[in-house]
Amino acid sequence: MPRIRAASVAEHRTMQRDALLDAARSLLSEGGTEALTFPALAERTGLARSSVYEYFRSRAAVVEELCAVDFPVWAAEVQSAMERADTADATVEAYVRRQLELVGDRRHRAVVAISASELDAGAREKIRAAHGGLIAMIVEALAELGHEQPRLAAMLLQGVVDAAVRRIELGAAEDPGVIADAAVSMALRGVLA
């Protein structure tokens, strides 16, 4: 009997932690990092504020957990799109397009809100490491295309993607598809030049 009880307690804690992370995503998506407060998390989840502190010691800890949970899922979606491509230039296109398609995803909006905020060094390092992993995914395709410095090209390519993401998120006059087409065109011309 104690095993069943221990399992249900662990499951309950996991469910509460997941609910807190889901609430954090929503708050970040809706109002940026200013909206991510422990009272707001408590209200969204129905937990007491003191219970939130049992799971996370600070707002930065929530951010770090979101990065640890969401970034790998997001990167896996980009990787999956790249794996379906049959040429190096199609891989570059998939890398750009999939990231831009994910802009509307709540996980992505939360990560972008996090990235724009004032964070402690640990949280900023986790975000940098996650972006580094994303950039590393495209280096091989850039090398296949004959780029002499594929790592540098990958970082610059991600800069194009990041600029397109910001443009889409600002609700620019252009349709997101037009922005994606322009980003792909710039990426491929820049990489192949």
Side-chain angles (χ1 to χ4, degrees):
M1 190 73 155
R3 281 189 189 170
I4 294 171
R5 183 177 173 103
S8 64
V9 168
E11 289 171 2
H12 182 70
R13 286 193 57 79
T14 299
M15 288 172 44
Q16 284 185 329
R17 186 178 197 87
D18 290 347
L20 285 165
L21 291 174
D22 197 46
R25 285 181 198 99
S26 294
L27 289 166
L28 286 164
S29 296
E30 296 163 11
T33 52
E34 297 79 30
L36 180 61
T37 65
F38 280 26
L41 284 171
E43 183 180 325
R44 288 277 173 114
T45 58
L47 295 172
R49 191 182 318 179
S50 59
S51 295
V52 177
Y53 285 98
E54 290 178 28
Y55 292 90
F56 302 105
R57 69 188 183 289
S58 66
R59 207 162 62 154
V62 177
V63 167
E64 288 180 35
E65 184 71 17
L66 280 174
C67 287
V69 170
D70 289 350
F71 225 104
V73 173
W74 191 64
E77 291 182 30
V78 174
Q79 182 71 44
S80 177
M82 292 168 60
E83 288 170 355
R84 290 190 298 273
D86 54 2
T87 63
D89 55 334
T91 301
V92 171
E93 181 171 354
Y95 176 84
V96 173
R97 283 197 189 280
R98 188 63 187 135
Q99 286 187 69
L100 297 179
E101 290 165 359
L102 291 169
V103 169
D105 185 293
R106 198 164 49 112
R107 291 168 303 171
H108 181 265
R109 288 195 311 265
V111 169
V112 168
I114 289 166
S115 299
S117 70
E118 298 287 326
L119 299 173
D120 66 21
R124 280 195 310 272
E125 185 52 40
K126 288 204 185 243
I127 291 170
R128 269 194 294 275
H131 271 134
L134 195 60
I135 290 168
M137 293 181 346
I138 196 64
V139 171
E140 184 179 329
L142 295 172
E144 279 181 46
L145 288 169
H147 205 285
E148 292 177 13
Q149 297 181 344
R151 176 102 178 123
L152 173 60
M155 290 187 288
L156 296 174
L157 173 60
Q158 187 60 43
V160 169
V161 173
D162 293 343
V165 164
R166 283 190 299 277
R167 188 86 183 146
I168 291 170
E169 288 178 335
L170 287 172
E174 304 89 5
D175 179 84
V178 170
I179 295 170
D181 290 344
V184 166
S185 177
M186 288 182 72
L188 289 175
R189 284 188 182 139
V191 166
L192 298 174

